[in-house]
Amino acid sequence: DANCNSATYCAGDTCALLLAQGESCTGDNQCSSKHCADGVCCNKECNENDYCEGSSVVAYVCNSQSALGTCTTVPTSCEAFTCSGGKCNTTCTANSDCSAGHYCSSANICVAKLNAGDTCNAGRIKEATDGIDSICLTGHCVDGVCCNDSCADIDTCAGNAVSAHICNKNDSLGTCTTNTISCQAYACKGGVCNTKCTSSSDCATGYFCNKQGQCVSQRGQGDNCNSGLIIAGDDINNICDTSHCVDGVCCDNACNQDDKCNGSNKVIYACNQLGSVGTCTEVSSSCGSNSCSNGYLTTVTCTGKGVCGSSTSSCGDHVCIGDACVNCTSSDQCGSGKYCNSSGLCVDKATNGSYCYDSYLKNTSEGAATICRSNHCSDNYCTTYDCGTCTYGNSSGTCTNVSYGGTGKGCNTSGYSCNGAGSCEHHGGCTYDRDCGTCQGCNTTTHACYNLENETGNGCGGRNYCCFGGTCYHRMCTDIY
C-alpha cells in the first residue's frame, strides 16, 4: 500500500482503487472508509458488543441488506430460549431460561407449552418448583390434561353419585365439565364416595353394612337375617329390602300384630313358617287340655292377647272321669264317707237312724248298707250293727226286740216265737241257757231267753269274741260302741 497513492491500495502487483462503502472487502486497507466489517466496507468500525432485547440478541452488523455498508443493529430471535449476556441460551434448567410460550422440559430443552387437552404431568418439567401448571398455555394442568379453567369447584353429591368437575372427560378433553360418577354400593357424603361403612347409612339404597364394614346387597323376602350379618350397633332390619327382619327371616311386614285367642288356642303371628317363609302368617297352638283329678277340674283357658292360663274348681257332688266332672255310676267313684245316689251324685253317707233303701242308690246291687256310715242297714234304718233274730232296726239306729210271743225275723217256724229278749224259742220256754239261742241266757224266773250284752256265753266264746244284742261278734267284750 505504501507504493500506491491515497486513493488506491495494493492488490497483488497492482494498485487498485479503494472500495466504496458497501462493497465487499477483506481488510480495512481496501475501503475508502478505512473500515471493513462483516465482509463489506462499513461507515464505521462496527465492533460494539451484542446485547439482549427480550428473547432476541441485538447485534451490530454492516452487511444488512437494508443498509449495506452502514453499521446498524439487527435483532435475532432466540426462538424457544431466552437471551443472556448478548447470547441465546441453548439449554435450560428452569422455565426462566425459556421464552414466552415455552417451558423447560426434563430434557433441559425449552419446548412449546401444551394446548388445552394435551397430556400434562410432573415428569415433563425440569424444575418442580416451576409448577406443573406452567406446562400449559392455559396455565391449568387438571386431571392430567391442560384445562381451560382451574376446575376447582367443590364436588357435590347427587344421590349415591358424585357430581364432579373434571377436565379429562373423553368427549371434552381440556374443558372443565361436570361429570356424574356412581358410588356403586356406597353412599356419597360431602362430594366424596364412601369406601367403607360403619352403619348402613354409609351405603347406597338397596345395600347394608356387613360385619366387615362393607356395603353389600340387601337380602330379599324369605332370606335369612340375623345380627351376625350386620355391623354391630346397626338396625338388623337394614339387612332386608323389605325393611323387616322377623323370626330370623326377611318378612313382608313388621308382623307385630297382637297375639289373640281362638277358643282355647293361642294365635300368634310368625314369619318363619314352613310353606310361607317370609310372609307374616297366623300360627295357632293349643294352650293345653283340661284335666280332672281328685275331685278337682282344671280348665285350660286363653284370654286377652293370647295369654294361656288355667282355673281349678271342685267337682262338688260329681266325680272326675277323664278330663271332666260327671255324674257317678257307683259309690266306689265317690270319696270316703260318700255314696252314689240314684241321681248320680256323690252325697254324704247317712247317720244311724236314717232311712236306707236300695232305691236310694244309683247302683242298687251295692246294697242299702252302702248308704250308712256304719255300713249296717237293718229294716231300712241305718244301725250301729245288723239287728239279729227277733230284733228290728229303729229310728234311733239301734235294734228293738220283738215282743214276747211274737214272730219276726228269723223266727217264723211253727211252734216257735220270740221270747221278748231277742231270741226265738219253743213255746214251752227255757230252763237252761242251752235252751236259748246263741248269745242268749235263760231267765229262770220267767223262763224267757234274753240277749247277752257285752259278754261271752252260749255259743259265743273264745278269744276276741263277744255277744252284743243276741249276736256273736268278733270283738273284744271290753270294746264300747
Side-chain angles (χ1 to χ4, degrees):
D1 288 338
N3 296 324
C4 296
N5 61 32
S6 59
T8 61
Y9 68 96
C10 182
D13 56 358
T14 61
C15 288
L17 289 174
L18 292 173
L19 300 174
Q21 185 176 337
E23 288 186 295
S24 297
C25 61
T26 58
D28 290 341
N29 66 321
Q30 297 174 347
C31 299
S32 59
S33 63
K34 301 303 181 184
H35 302 293
C36 180
D38 301 315
V40 295
C41 291
C42 190
N43 67 327
K44 56 185 284 186
E45 190 174 2
C46 207
N47 60 353
E48 294 91 338
N49 292 329
D50 296 342
Y51 65 93
C52 293
E53 189 175 87
S55 59
S56 296
V57 173
V58 179
Y60 288 88
V61 296
C62 215
N63 59 353
S64 173
Q65 294 300 313
S66 61
L68 195 64
T70 300
C71 185
T72 59
T73 57
V74 177
T76 302
S77 174
C78 293
E79 302 295 341
F81 292 88
T82 55
C83 179
S84 178
K87 294 181 180 180
C88 286
N89 294 320
T90 56
T91 62
C92 62
T93 58
N95 287 351
S96 58
D97 294 332
C98 302
S99 63
H102 297 80
Y103 70 94
C104 185
S105 73
S106 57
N108 297 94
I109 298 173
C110 292
V111 295
K113 290 189 176 185
L114 304 174
N115 294 315
D118 289 341
T119 300
C120 54
N121 56 62
R124 284 178 172 268
I125 196 166
K126 179 66 177 179
E127 177 53 55
T129 57
D130 284 334
I132 194 171
D133 289 337
S134 66
I135 295 176
C136 302
L137 284 172
T138 60
H140 305 291
C141 179
V142 181
D143 300 321
V145 296
C146 291
C147 190
N148 68 327
D149 188 90
S150 63
C151 214
D153 301 273
I154 297 174
D155 294 342
T156 58
C157 292
N160 76 312
V162 174
S163 180
H165 295 82
I166 62 172
C167 215
N168 60 351
K169 194 173 181 181
N170 288 336
D171 58 357
S172 56
L173 283 175
T175 300
C176 184
T177 57
T178 300
N179 188 45
T180 301
I181 304 170
S182 173
C183 294
Q184 303 299 327
Y186 292 85
C188 177
K189 290 189 177 181
V192 178
C193 287
N194 293 326
T195 56
K196 60 182 180 180
C197 58
T198 57
S199 74
S200 295
S201 62
D202 295 330
C203 302
T205 301
Y207 296 84
F208 73 95
C209 188
N210 70 9
K211 206 76 170 177
Q212 290 72 42
Q214 302 165 331
C215 291
V216 295
S217 294
Q218 287 181 315
R219 298 192 166 199
Q221 183 177 345
D223 290 339
N224 291 335
C225 56
N226 57 68
S227 59
L229 297 173
I230 197 166
I231 198 162
D234 205 355
D235 185 354
I236 195 172
N237 291 314
N238 289 329
I239 296 174
C240 303
D241 60 11
T242 63
S243 298
H244 303 292
C245 179
V246 181
D247 300 322
V249 296
C250 291
C251 193
D252 62 338
N253 63 59
C255 206
N256 57 356
Q257 299 93 322
D258 289 334
D259 296 342
K260 62 183 182 180
C261 294
N262 182 7
S264 62
N265 288 338
K266 177 180 181 178
V267 179
I268 64 173
Y269 294 85
C271 215
N272 59 354
Q273 296 302 295
L274 188 64
S276 58
V277 175
T279 300
C280 186
T281 307
E282 284 190 0
V283 181
S284 180
S285 61
S286 173
C287 285
S289 301
N290 295 343
S291 62
C292 195
S293 177
N294 297 323
Y296 286 90
L297 173 66
T298 300
T299 304
V300 173
T301 59
C302 182
T303 59
K305 296 179 180 180
V307 179
C308 288
S310 64
S311 61
T312 301
S313 59
S314 173
C315 286
D317 51 12
H318 292 75
V319 295
C320 281
I321 300 293
D323 59 0
C325 293
V326 298
N327 289 347
C328 58
T329 57
S330 64
S331 297
D332 59 4
Q333 294 172 339
C334 301
S336 175
K338 294 180 181 292
Y339 72 96
C340 184
N341 71 11
S342 59
S343 299
L345 303 177
C346 291
V347 296
D348 291 335
K349 287 191 174 188
T351 58
N352 286 346
S354 300
Y355 288 118
C356 48
Y357 289 92
D358 288 344
S359 61
Y360 287 5
L361 294 166
K362 185 70 175 177
N363 182 2
T364 57
S365 66
E366 293 175 342
T370 306
I371 297 171
C372 304
R373 289 183 182 178
S374 65
N375 291 322
H376 298 291
C377 179
S378 298
D379 304 299
N380 302 121
Y381 286 102
C382 291
T383 55
T384 303
Y385 44 81
D386 291 332
C387 296
T389 302
C390 290
T391 62
Y392 58 88
N394 59 40
S395 61
S396 297
T398 59
C399 295
T400 301
N401 292 331
V402 176
S403 299
Y404 181 82
T407 60
K409 184 169 49 179
C411 191
N412 294 309
T413 305
S414 177
Y416 284 84
S417 63
C418 293
N419 63 5
S423 296
C424 183
E425 58 184 36
H426 193 271
H427 294 314
C430 68
T431 302
Y432 304 102
D433 288 344
R434 62 176 177 270
D435 297 329
C436 299
T438 303
C439 280
Q440 291 184 329
C442 182
N443 186 323
T444 58
T445 302
T446 63
H447 297 283
C449 293
Y450 63 93
N451 291 334
L452 298 178
E453 221 29 65
N454 199 20
E455 61 181 313
T456 60
N458 204 18
C460 185
R463 188 177 183 181
N464 296 331
Y465 282 87
C466 188
C467 293
F468 292 91
T471 302
C472 184
Y473 287 91
H474 188 258
R475 298 177 183 173
M476 296 179 67
C477 289
T478 54
D479 289 345
I480 298 176
Y481 297 88

